[in-house]
Amino acid sequence: MFPTASLTAFLLLAVSVAANPIVVRKPPVSLSFARHLNITGSYDLVAKDQARAKNFMAIGKAKQSGTLSSAAVVSVGVTNVAVVYQATVGVGSPATNYNLLIDTGSSNTWVGAGTTYVTTSTSVQTSDSVSVTYGSGSFSGTEFLDTVTIGSGLVIPGQSIGVASTSTGFTGFDGILGIGPTDLTVGTLSPNTGSSVPTVTDNLFSRGTITSNLVSVSFEPTTTTSVKNGELTFGGTDSTKFTGALTFIPITSTSPANLFWGINESIRYGASTSILSTTAGIVDTGTTLILIATDAFNRYTSATGAVLDATTGLLRITSAQFSSLQSLFFTTGGRSFELTANAQIWPRALNTFIGGTSGNIYLVVNDIGTPTGQGLDFINGYTFLERFYSVYDTSNHRVGLPLRHSPRRRAIDGDGWVR
Ligand SMILES: *[C@@H]1O[C@H](CO)[C@@H](O)[C@H](O)[C@H]1NC(C)=O
Ligand SMILES: *[C@@H]1O[C@H](CO)[C@@H](O)[C@H](O)[C@H]1NC(C)=O
């Protein structure tokens, strides 16, 4: 017989699954992608993440003051980030394949930085020019409508895409597949109509190819610098990539986090040490670390006993401190997401790659660079998201996360069940 507690848990689970009809067993629309670490030296990881955080805040300020279209920073973008995701996307018919960076921090899709855009009978030039300046790098050119092919045979006719005539900062890539919130495209076309450019996900939804306007992201954790094991699923979730029901967290109303995949969250270390009181921040695939407000970072530093490592810019702990490292709990959407001790450390096999020493133990929690109260006080970045499958649900204005670490991550680390 089941003890009463597990029976109750089972029933709750069954009810939650029934309430999440977007789960599909075989993802009809998925795109695999490769991940590469783009770190060029010591301290680079932290510097790139902090620059990205600063950019998010600058975009917020520009939006608030109504100067976004003229602001230098239009999109956070994928250039100069520490982790890049890359996928092959076809454009035209017959399709030419382009090697695109996947970006949740920007929303224009464009080609032409490397491989030249090949027009076919499906290519329609519009009268708009397009220009996006990223945190580092930029492109400008002409907006076209064309057929875009994603994954194995998912065809989107009439997708609005940029075709670069000039670009900087995209060596080795042809452009970007922008899957951030659509409003980030406002002001990128000229003449500027003030309207947004529908993303690939928007078009899949409006054409009825997918029944929910959402995209899900799976990362398989790895200890190598380049690996093709990511998966984007459009319109649903891939139930083979996570276990248990999803918790859905409403997009925060707090600005500027609400311009991105923003949520309210509090963070606790161990049973009772408060690190961050409930505040707004974002979930972001393009940030490598977990960044928290400076005061919260100081509390985490003293709670763990870590010291700041001058070479990497990361917190460092001893093996004895690692043995007693408590879990970090992220409370959001009424649930607590647990990062175990293993989940809080940088993969040791990659220590030297970030300028560190192979035997050292570095922590993935770092300083966002500003005190709490900015309306964007944390970023749950890649090191959080490789633990938890994530769903970016535009239709319902929410982010979905399962309570348990991904099965593959548990297999590597031996992490137990997460409550
Ligand atoms: C990698 O980082 C360098 C700077 O550190 C940047 O110039 C380059 O554009 C980045 N590459 C990609 C593909 O993001
Ligand atoms: C998030 O926090 C803000 C500020 O406390 C609050 O106004 C809001 O209701 C909270 N929830 C959401 C979904 O925004």
Side-chain angles (χ1 to χ4, degrees):
M1 283 300 291
F2 288 109
T4 317
S6 14
L7 186 57
T8 311
F10 172 76
L11 289 175
L12 280 176
L13 191 68
V15 169
S16 325
V17 169
N20 293 331
I22 59 164
V23 176
V24 287
R25 202 148 279 286
K26 269 204 177 134
V29 188
S30 65
L31 173 67
S32 59
F33 60 87
R35 187 201 76 157
H36 310 280
L37 290 179
N38 180 28
I39 301 167
T40 48
S42 299
Y43 232 103
D44 203 31
L45 180 59
V46 176
K48 280 181 167 170
D49 271 7
Q50 285 177 346
R52 186 170 170 90
K54 225 170 140 182
N55 248 304
F56 280 123
M57 294 186 205
I59 290 172
K61 288 217 170 69
K63 280 254 183 193
Q64 270 159 3
S65 61
T67 58
L68 184 66
S69 54
S70 59
V73 174
V74 175
S75 197
V76 172
V78 286
T79 56
N80 202 29
V81 297
V83 195
V84 297
Y85 310 104
Q86 162 248 315
T88 303
V89 173
V91 180
S93 180
T96 302
N97 281 337
Y98 300 93
N99 182 17
L100 302 188
L101 290 159
I102 297 171
D103 188 20
T104 54
S106 70
S107 308
N108 290 75
T109 290
W110 62 273
V111 300
T115 308
T116 310
Y117 176 55
V118 179
T119 55
T120 65
S121 61
T122 56
S123 312
V124 178
Q125 182 169 349
T126 74
S127 54
D128 290 322
S129 61
V130 56
S131 168
V132 182
T133 302
Y134 299 94
S136 137
S138 65
F139 92 95
S140 59
T142 306
E143 196 74 4
F144 277 71
L145 301 175
D146 208 338
T147 297
V148 168
T149 306
I150 287 178
S152 44
L154 178 74
V155 178
I156 311 160
Q159 172 67 43
S160 191
I161 56 159
V163 173
S165 46
T166 58
S167 66
T168 52
F170 292 92
T171 316
F173 293 93
D174 297 318
I176 291 182
L177 177 67
I179 57 163
T182 313
D183 281 354
L184 292 175
T185 62
V186 172
T188 58
L189 297 191
S190 168
N192 178 13
T193 57
S195 52
S196 58
V197 184
T199 62
V200 165
T201 325
D202 291 335
N203 280 332
L204 286 170
F205 179 61
S206 60
R207 299 183 56 82
T209 312
I210 58 177
T211 51
S212 304
N213 188 343
L214 62 81
V215 60
S216 305
V217 180
S218 163
F219 300 114
E220 301 252 320
T222 174
T223 49
T224 59
T225 57
S226 286
V227 66
K228 183 163 188 171
N229 65 10
E231 183 189 78
L232 283 183
T233 300
F234 293 91
T237 57
D238 179 352
S239 64
T240 65
K241 301 288 188 196
F242 65 98
T243 325
L246 294 165
T247 295
F248 284 100
I249 305 141
I251 298 299
T252 183
S253 54
T254 303
S255 172
N258 62 357
L259 294 174
F260 311 99
W261 295 108
I263 57 173
N264 288 348
E265 170 180 283
S266 66
I267 304 176
R268 186 183 88 231
Y269 178 77
S272 59
T273 307
S274 172
I275 300 294
L276 186 66
S277 308
T278 306
T279 187
I282 63 170
V283 176
D284 177 44
T285 59
T287 302
T288 308
L289 300 168
I290 296 164
L291 297 183
I292 56 179
T294 305
D295 43 312
F297 175 70
N298 292 340
R299 285 188 285 273
Y300 179 75
T301 307
S302 33
T304 55
V307 293
L308 194 62
D309 181 76
T311 317
T312 58
L314 298 179
L315 289 178
R316 192 183 71 229
I317 53 173
T318 63
S319 333
Q321 287 167 329
F322 179 56
S323 317
S324 57
L325 192 68
Q326 309 281 300
S327 286
L328 199 57
F329 295 92
F330 296 73
T331 302
T332 181
R335 308 299 289 267
S336 258
F337 298 83
E338 178 180 8
L339 275 197
T340 56
N342 262 328
Q344 291 169 62
I345 71 170
W346 181 254
R348 277 176 267 192
L350 296 179
N351 277 359
T352 51
F353 196 72
I354 55 168
T357 303
S358 51
N360 282 355
I361 304 174
Y362 302 105
L363 299 171
V364 296
V365 176
N366 214 286
D367 183 0
I368 206 169
T370 44
T372 38
Q374 309 299 307
L376 204 166
D377 293 337
F378 62 85
I379 302 180
N380 293 357
Y382 171 80
T383 41
F384 179 89
L385 296 169
E386 68 171 358
R387 300 283 165 166
F388 300 102
Y389 191 83
S390 54
V391 182
Y392 304 88
D393 186 349
T394 300
S395 287
N396 299 300
H397 229 65
R398 59 188 187 172
V399 172
L401 298 171
L403 273 177
R404 295 169 56 200
H405 286 184
S406 71
R408 174 137 162 79
R409 173 49 85 184
R410 285 204 316 275
I412 289 178
D413 283 348
D415 283 342
W417 285 63
V418 177
R419 49 183 163 109

